[in-house]
Amino acid sequence: MDSKTSFPLAGALLAFIGTVHTALGVALFAFADQDVELTFWFTEFGVLNIGFGIAMIALERALGYVPAAVLLVLGAVTVFGLAFMPVSGFVMVLLPLGVGSYGWWRSRNERVAA
């Protein structure tokens, strides 16, 4: 694949966060005394983050940036999550969101200048 970016950082960060989230969910289920529903949703959101991160990696490689629509969806999910659970893993999603937004902004300015 002819990648337009040297390293798809936003998608890789999101996939990494999802991997850690999933591993912790499985560990909580196996070794901790937690509700099954809690560990299910914890693990489920980890798997969803991995998938969304892989999709963002493909977009970053193909376009050179994450499209604004994808960033808006990620931002909406993050704001919704932070509104209901302010002290949670949703805070970590701000990092790939910021990196993706910066890449989109930089790419947008390059396209406007050209």
Side-chain angles (χ1 to χ4, degrees), residues 3-107:
S3 180
K4 293 188 178 186
T5 60
S6 59
F7 185 73
L9 186 58
L13 283 170
L14 194 59
F16 175 75
I17 291 168
T19 302
V20 172
H21 213 268
T22 302
L24 284 173
V26 170
L28 284 173
F29 180 73
F31 302 113
D33 188 24
Q34 295 287 329
D35 293 332
V36 174
E37 294 85 6
L38 178 67
T39 55
F40 168 77
W41 285 112
F42 197 85
T43 307
E44 180 70 18
F45 268 95
V47 172
L48 288 172
N49 269 344
I50 293 169
F52 198 48
I54 291 169
M56 282 178 57
I57 288 170
L59 285 170
E60 282 181 287
R61 285 183 175 159
L63 301 174
Y65 60 93
V66 180
V70 174
L71 293 170
L72 286 173
V73 169
L74 183 60
V77 169
T78 303
V79 167
F80 185 74
L82 286 172
F84 285 97
M85 296 174 58
V87 182
S88 68
F90 284 106
V91 173
M92 292 190 324
V93 180
L94 293 173
L95 184 60
L97 183 60
V99 169
S101 297
Y102 174 73
W104 173 81
W105 185 259
R106 189 183 66 228
S107 175

